């Protein structure tokens, strides 16, 4: 049995769990830090260790081998736990080498042949590969869209419900509380992919979910330089199951990546606030363009997801999706942007966009664009988009 994080020896002293009354902007800059010690750094550097001095018996030791635990992970896991459920020292987080490592850990460790899983049909495109693997393992998989809480109709007999809200890349939203209550009535666990919202925008565990899962590669770390994932839960048994999966498959983060992620958390509140504001400005500007259709952003008044998102989320994320007339039009637009890089992923401090159909896994039109708003000046970003749209317009026929 692994001792609780606050009982593990850490360079720089015991962890400070903070106060449940702290605002998010205060919490993120202190989350997971050890208590202050004279002449020690606020956030101790990464611990590089494949093994530890290990005298005597090994049962209940805090650190034995580098695949099991690392003090740098401990701090990061505690920090994320403080954001997922503020003020609750019993919330546990297990960090992984990537978001897919975290997603796979939940879907593959909590299912077995003969069980039924309900997935979103419009979720992250690698869910399709996981669906195939689950079915090859004898697990029945049902799917339904995120919007309209359509997964409700597939819950009878299910053991696990997987939600993704807002969905990627379509940005539909489902009612976590409603779906979690219905799933629990039927004896099913509920996991929520919270990547797009981050724990500052939405707290699935406080809305009834059993597990909150995310790719920390995106907005959580926010600088486009770290691959990371995590699973958060208030259930010790679930945490132990997921942690054992991580140990078995070796999907562990490097200590430098974990340290970079923890360092980046301090700016999470200001980054996500600025990104959400920029995303809304971009969505409003795009909606005014005649060549742009199907503009989606949960914070946009009039968006189909807005009424529910405004009740469930405290901020609406950095992603905007929209459709240009065709593939060529979208590619001309992307090539003419100056402040928006053409790249996959989202949540970084620099704005990015891509024609999502180039990957072939999403059910989107050829001219569908997913844009991630960064922290640039809002007026500059909107000006760049408008100019690129003007320049991307087809040349008039001779």
């Amino acid at each position: 049995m692994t001792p609780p994080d606050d009982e593990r020896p850490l360079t720089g002293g015991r962890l400070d769990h903070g106060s449940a009354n702290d605002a998010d902007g205060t919490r993120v800059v202190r989350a997971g830090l050890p208590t202050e010690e004279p002449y020690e750094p606020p956030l101790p550097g990464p611990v590089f260790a494949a093994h530890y001095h290990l005298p005597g018996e090994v049962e209940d030791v805090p650190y034995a081998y580098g695949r099991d635990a690392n003090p740098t992970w401990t701090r990061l896991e505690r920090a994320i736990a403080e954001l997922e459920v503020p003020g609750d020292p019993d919330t546990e987080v297990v960090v992984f080498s990537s978001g897919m490592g975290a997603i796979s850990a939940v879907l593959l460790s909590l299912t077995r042949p003969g069980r039924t899983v309900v997935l979103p049909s419009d979720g992250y495109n690698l869910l399709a590969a996981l669906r195939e693997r689950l079915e090859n393992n004898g697990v029945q998989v049902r799917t339904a869209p995120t919007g309209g809480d359509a997964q409700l109709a597939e819950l009878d007999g299910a053991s696990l419900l997987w939600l993704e809200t807002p969905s990627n890349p379509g940005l539909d939203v489902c009612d976590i509380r409603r779906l979690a209550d219905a799933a629990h009535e039927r004896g099913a666990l509920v996991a929520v992919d919270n990547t797009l919202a981050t724990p500052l925008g939405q707290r699935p565990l406080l809305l009834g979910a059993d597990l909150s899962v995310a790719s920390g590669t995106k907005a959580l770390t926010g600088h486009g330089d770290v691959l990371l994932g995590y699973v958060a839960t208030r259930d010790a048994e679930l945490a132990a199951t997921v942690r054992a999966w991580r140990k078995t498959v070796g999907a562990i983060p490097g200590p430098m990546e974990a340290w970079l992620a923890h360092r980046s958390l301090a700016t999470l509140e200001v980054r996500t606030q600025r990104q959400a504001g920029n995303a809304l400005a971009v969505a409003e500007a795009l909606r005014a363009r005649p060549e742009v259709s199907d503009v989606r952003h949960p914070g946009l008044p009039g968006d189909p997801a807005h009424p529910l998102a405004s009740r469930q989320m405290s901020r609406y994320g950095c992603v905007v999706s929209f459709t240009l007339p065709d593939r060529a039009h979208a590619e001309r637009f992307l090539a003419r942007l100056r402040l928006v890089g053409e790249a996959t992923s989202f949540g970084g401090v620099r704005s990015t966009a891509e024609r999502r159909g180039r990957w072939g896994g999403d059910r989107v039109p050829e001219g569908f664009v997913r844009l991630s708003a960064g922290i640039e000046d809002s007026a500059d970003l909107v000006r760049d988009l408008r100019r690129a749209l003007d320049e991307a317009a087809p040349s008039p026929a001779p």
Side-chain angles (χ1 to χ4, degrees):
M1 178 179 177
T2 304
D5 288 345
D6 58 347
E7 293 179 6
R8 296 175 178 179
L10 292 172
T11 304
R14 291 169 60 85
L15 289 167
D16 179 0
H17 291 291
S19 168
N21 297 321
D22 288 341
D24 285 341
T26 299
R27 184 174 294 107
V28 294
V29 300
R30 302 194 60 84
L33 298 183
T35 54
E36 295 178 0
E37 298 284 350
Y39 322 117
E40 291 289 335
L43 177 61
V47 176
F48 297 99
H51 62 268
Y52 304 86
H53 293 298
L54 193 60
E57 298 299 321
V58 298
E59 186 177 1
D60 292 337
V61 299
Y63 301 105
Y65 186 64
R67 193 179 61 247
D68 301 334
N70 179 291
T72 312
W73 305 350
T74 301
R75 296 187 189 94
L76 175 61
E77 290 173 340
R78 189 66 253 163
I80 297 172
E82 290 173 26
L83 303 184
E84 287 282 342
V85 185
D88 178 18
D90 293 326
T91 299
E92 296 188 54
V93 167
V94 184
V95 292
F96 288 83
S97 53
S98 70
M100 282 307 299
I103 292 170
S104 299
V106 172
L107 288 175
L108 297 177
S109 72
L110 297 178
T111 58
R112 61 175 183 262
R115 294 289 181 90
T116 298
V117 174
V118 180
L119 301 178
S121 58
D122 54 348
Y124 178 50
N125 61 15
L126 278 181
L127 280 179
L130 270 175
R131 174 182 181 172
E132 182 178 353
R133 185 168 294 276
L134 286 166
E135 290 175 336
N136 289 341
N137 290 345
V139 177
Q140 181 183 1
V141 179
R142 303 174 190 157
T143 64
T146 297
D149 297 341
Q151 289 170 275
L152 273 174
E154 305 296 334
L155 285 178
D156 286 347
S159 63
L160 177 63
L161 169 64
W162 183 273
L163 306 177
E164 184 179 306
T165 181
S167 60
N168 171 29
L171 302 180
D172 276 319
V173 170
C174 62
D175 189 329
I176 296 174
R177 175 71 69 185
R178 180 188 183 202
L179 285 158
D181 287 348
H184 291 154
E185 287 174 3
R186 293 162 172 81
L189 294 171
V190 178
V192 176
D193 185 332
N194 200 41
T195 299
L196 198 146
T198 82
L200 296 193
Q202 182 172 262
R203 292 188 164 113
L205 299 182
L206 293 180
L207 292 169
D210 301 290
L211 303 113
S212 177
V213 187
S215 168
T217 308
K218 312 297 194 296
L220 190 84
T221 55
H223 292 79
D225 54 7
V226 172
L227 288 176
L228 192 85
Y230 73 86
V231 177
T233 181
R234 304 173 85 176
D235 186 310
E237 186 175 343
L238 289 177
T241 299
V242 172
R243 190 176 291 111
W245 178 267
R246 178 182 68 180
K247 174 179 178 176
T248 302
V249 301
I252 60 172
M256 178 58 80
E257 286 78 8
W259 184 86
L260 286 170
H262 198 168
R263 176 214 58 177
S264 298
L265 286 183
T267 60
L268 179 62
E269 200 275 339
V270 293
R271 283 189 285 106
T272 54
Q273 184 177 49
R274 179 63 170 262
Q275 288 168 320
N278 280 352
L280 183 57
V282 164
E284 290 172 338
L286 289 169
R287 193 167 57 171
R289 300 287 301 211
E291 71 272 46
V292 178
S293 61
D294 299 324
V295 178
R296 297 296 307 270
H297 177 64
L300 189 65
D303 187 279
H306 182 69
L308 175 56
S310 64
R311 299 194 303 270
Q312 186 167 272
M313 303 176 71
S314 55
R315 60 190 63 178
Y316 302 110
C318 61
V319 178
V320 179
S321 69
F322 56 98
T323 302
L324 289 170
D326 52 42
R327 172 177 177 168
H329 199 134
E331 290 177 346
R332 290 195 303 272
F333 163 71
L334 293 168
R336 286 162 174 77
L337 290 165
R338 182 177 69 87
L339 299 179
V340 182
E342 189 170 355
T344 194
S345 197
F346 57 84
V349 293
R350 287 171 286 278
S351 294
T352 59
E354 69 171 336
R355 190 181 66 81
R356 193 64 187 164
R358 66 182 178 172
W359 295 101
D362 295 308
R363 300 173 186 174
V364 295
E366 284 294 302
F368 181 97
V369 175
R370 184 185 70 183
L371 185 147
S372 172
I375 63 170
E376 298 89 354
D377 180 83
S378 182
D380 288 343
L381 190 55
V382 169
R383 188 181 303 113
D384 189 43
L385 290 166
R386 287 172 172 160
R387 179 195 51 76
L389 285 168
D390 289 341
E391 296 179 4
S395 301

